């Protein structure tokens, strides 16, 4: 069931979203050659504590997971697409890092993700990340009252496929509210004018995930969490929590 949020609730979700924005900015600024993923996780955790917020990631255990998630960030490096576990791995020159992060504040959740390069960037990685961001922007632009979920999916998929990138067909965006994952599901590819109508008060996470090799297949790493491309190509992930309003889409996790 899709819960429509009041304008007051959306304002409260914006406050949670800004904790997310601050943490992701801090992580990106700190990520450098030699810095470990665990160090970045602790930095994000400190941001939560300073804000009086908690993590919807830490301890999360969906049905597919062998263990509860051990961190407050998902840190996915190079061929890892999503759900990367923060470890002692130290970043290397040229790495592509995707960081997904959530915060719960006063009972409301914000969720966002960024991808960036560390040290000297490969041109192919720059193009991949820029395309992921353009796909996210296209999805947000389509998130207006009167459109349907399929319009968001189609907008994202069109940008991704035009760039020659693969798409995970069974992972995508979702509703956000009191919980990190709520209805509706927001696919990253689909047909326009199909699916659930978009209404004022819906709050969703829009999150394209692009696979550089152009294939859509992937596999789970031995940790049971990290999903990696089958062909070893790199991946990028971009995400914002967005409220659908009569005035247009409102990005609640916008990094100021």
């Amino acid at each position: 069931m899709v819960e429509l949020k009041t304008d007051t609730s959306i304002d409260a979700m914006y406050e949670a979203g800004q904790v997310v924005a601050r943490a992701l900015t801090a992580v990106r600024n700190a990520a450098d050659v030699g810095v470990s993923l665990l160090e970045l996780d602790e930095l994000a955790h400190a941001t939560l504590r300073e804000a009086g917020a908690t993590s919807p990631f830490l301890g999360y255990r969906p049905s597919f997971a062998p263990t509860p998630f051990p961190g407050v960030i998902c840190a996915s490096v190079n061929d890892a697409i999503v759900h990367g576990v923060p470890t002692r791995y130290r970043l290397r020159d040229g790495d592509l890092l995707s960081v997904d992060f959530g915060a719960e504040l006063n009972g409301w959740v914000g969720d966002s993700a960024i991808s960036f390069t560390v040290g000297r960037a490969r041109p192919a990685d720059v193009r991949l990340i820029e395309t992921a961001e353009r796909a996210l922007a296209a999805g947000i632009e389509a998130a207006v009252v009167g459109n349907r979920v399929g319009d968001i999916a189609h907008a994202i998929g069109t940008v991704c496929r035009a760039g020659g990138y693969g798409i995970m067909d069974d992972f995508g965006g979702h509703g956000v509210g009191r919980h990190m994952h709520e209805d509706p599901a927001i696919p990253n590819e689909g047909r326009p004018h199909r699916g659930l109508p978009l209404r004022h008060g819906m709050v969703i996470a829009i999150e394209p995930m692009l696979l550089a090799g152009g294939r859509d297949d992937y596999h789970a790493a031995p940790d049971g969490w990290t999903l990696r491309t089958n062909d070893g190509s790199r991946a990028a992930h971009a995400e914002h929590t967005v409220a659908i309003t009569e005035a247009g889409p409102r990005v609640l996790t916008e990094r100021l």
Side-chain angles (χ1 to χ4, degrees), residues 25-40:
T25 298
V27 167
R28 181 167 190 168
N29 289 341
D32 203 353
V33 175
V35 175
S36 77
L37 302 182
L38 279 176
E39 289 169 338
L40 297 179

Side-chain angles (χ1 to χ4, degrees), residues 49-205:
R49 290 192 292 266
E50 291 166 4
T54 58
S55 171
F57 288 20
L58 184 63
Y60 180 61
R61 189 178 185 181
S63 59
F64 67 81
T67 57
F69 194 75
V72 301
I73 64 171
C74 293
S76 305
V77 181
N78 296 334
D79 65 325
I81 311 164
V82 287
H83 303 163
V85 174
T87 65
R88 291 186 176 88
Y89 176 85
R90 294 192 176 276
L91 294 167
R92 302 171 183 173
D93 188 40
D95 276 347
L96 193 166
L97 176 62
S98 298
V99 180
D100 193 355
F101 179 78
E104 182 176 343
L105 182 68
N106 298 322
W108 296 103
V109 173
D111 186 12
S112 184
I114 56 173
S115 293
F116 54 90
T117 56
V118 177
R120 290 169 293 184
R122 302 180 183 184
D125 289 345
V126 173
R127 177 175 174 267
L128 174 66
I129 293 167
E130 288 178 346
T131 306
E133 292 172 348
R134 285 195 294 108
L136 173 59
I140 293 171
E141 186 177 359
V144 296
V145 173
N147 271 358
R148 293 176 176 265
V149 166
D151 293 302
I152 299 174
H154 179 70
I156 294 169
T158 297
V159 173
C160 295
R161 295 301 188 189
Y165 299 119
I167 300 171
M168 303 171 77
D169 60 6
D170 51 355
F171 281 86
H174 49 86
V176 185
R178 294 286 185 182
H179 305 281
M180 180 169 57
H181 292 130
E182 297 183 354
D183 292 333
I186 310 294
N188 285 327
E189 190 168 35
R191 299 174 65 184
H193 318 307
R194 300 295 179 94
L196 187 73
L198 303 180
R199 298 172 59 191
H200 179 91
M202 291 175 64
V203 180
I204 57 177

